[in-house]
Amino acid sequence: MKKTLLFGLSLTIVLSSASLFSSSEAQEPERPQKWDPNWEPPRTAWGHPDLQGNWSNATLTRFERRQGVDPVYTWEEVDRIEGREQTRVQRGFESSDPDRPPLQAGNVGAYNQIYFDRGDRVAVVNGEPRTSLITFPSDGRIPALSLEGQTRKQEYDDFRSQFGRYDHPELRPLAERCVVYYASSPTGVLGPPMTPTQGYNNNFTIIQNTDHVVIRSEMIHDIR
C-alpha cells in the first residue's frame, strides 16, 4: 500500500483520486475533503500510532512557492498540472526510433522515463491543493539567512574558492559521492524536513517497536 509522507510525518497528504468514467458519461473527479478532526489513526498493539509500512512523498508540488503566486491552486490549475505530467510520462514511454540521427553536442538527456518517480498529484493540505510544500512563513518561501548565517556562508564560500570543485577527494560534493542526497532542501531526504527528491527514489520504509521508530529512505539508503 502506497502512502504519502511530507515534512517528517507531521502531515498526511490526501491525494485526489483519478477521474472515473462510466459507459455513458464522464463523472467529475472526487476531490479531497478537509481533515476530519474526529479521525483516529491506527495503533499498534502497545497503543502507539502505527506508522509502519512503505511510504512515498513524491509530489508535483514545488518546495518553495513562486513569487506572486497564491498559496492555493484552483482545481482547474490542478487538472492542467497533473494532465501535463501524465502527457510527459506517456511521451517518455513511447518507443524510440532506432534509425534516428545521433544527438548533436550538448545535453544528451538522462535516465529513461521508467526510472523517474516525480509524483502524479499535487499535494493537498486540509482539502486545499497547495502551490508549495512550505506553508509557513505565509509566502511559502525559505526565510533569508540571518546576518550571522550570511557571514558564515561567506566565510565558507571564501575558503572553497581557493580550490576547484574536484581538486581532491575531500572536496567532492557529498551528493556526488552518494553520501547524502539533499533533495529539495539542504537537510537531505531524511531532513528535517523530509523533502522530495524531485526525480526518483522518493520511497521510505518505516518499522517500529515499543521503544524506537526507524525510517529508511530509498535514496542513498539512509536510516534515521
Side-chain angles (χ1 to χ4, degrees), residues 16-35:
S16 58
S17 64
S19 298
L20 302 177
F21 293 92
S22 66
S23 58
S24 58
E25 60 180 355
Q27 300 176 352
E28 285 294 321
E30 182 181 348
R31 301 300 189 187
Q33 303 300 310
K34 289 189 175 182
W35 173 67

Side-chain angles (χ1 to χ4, degrees), residues 77-96:
E77 290 173 320
V78 170
D79 290 339
R80 285 198 298 271
I81 293 170
E82 294 177 353
R84 185 166 59 240
E85 178 63 19
Q86 184 179 20
T87 299
R88 178 169 71 163
V89 170
Q90 291 173 343
R91 186 183 302 118
F93 278 119
E94 293 176 355
S95 299
S96 300

Side-chain angles (χ1 to χ4, degrees), residues 150-203:
Q150 294 176 37
T151 299
R152 293 174 61 183
K153 182 178 184 304
Q154 187 61 55
E155 291 173 349
Y156 175 79
D157 291 344
D158 290 343
F159 171 76
R160 285 300 299 262
S161 67
Q162 306 173 72
F163 312 100
R165 193 176 185 187
Y166 301 103
D167 276 1
H168 55 79
E170 287 75 14
L171 288 177
R172 297 179 77 88
L174 294 179
E176 191 269 342
R177 289 189 277 166
C178 290
V179 175
V180 65
Y181 192 84
Y182 293 108
S184 310
S185 72
T187 56
V189 291
L190 284 179
M194 299 171 67
T195 54
T197 68
Q198 299 179 325
Y200 51 86
N201 292 359
N202 284 299
N203 297 310

Side-chain angles (χ1 to χ4, degrees), residues 117-129:
D117 180 21
R118 306 179 189 89
D120 56 8
R121 292 289 184 269
V122 168
V124 177
V125 179
N126 200 21
E128 297 178 332

Side-chain angles (χ1 to χ4, degrees), residues 11 45 51 113 166 203 222:
L11 181 64
L51 306 175
Q113 180 62 48
Y166 301 103
N203 297 310
D222 275 346

Side-chain angles (χ1 to χ4, degrees), residues 123-141:
V124 177
V125 179
N126 200 21
E128 297 178 332
R130 304 297 301 225
T131 56
S132 66
L133 296 182
I134 296 177
T135 58
F136 182 84
S138 60
D139 64 357
R141 301 186 63 80

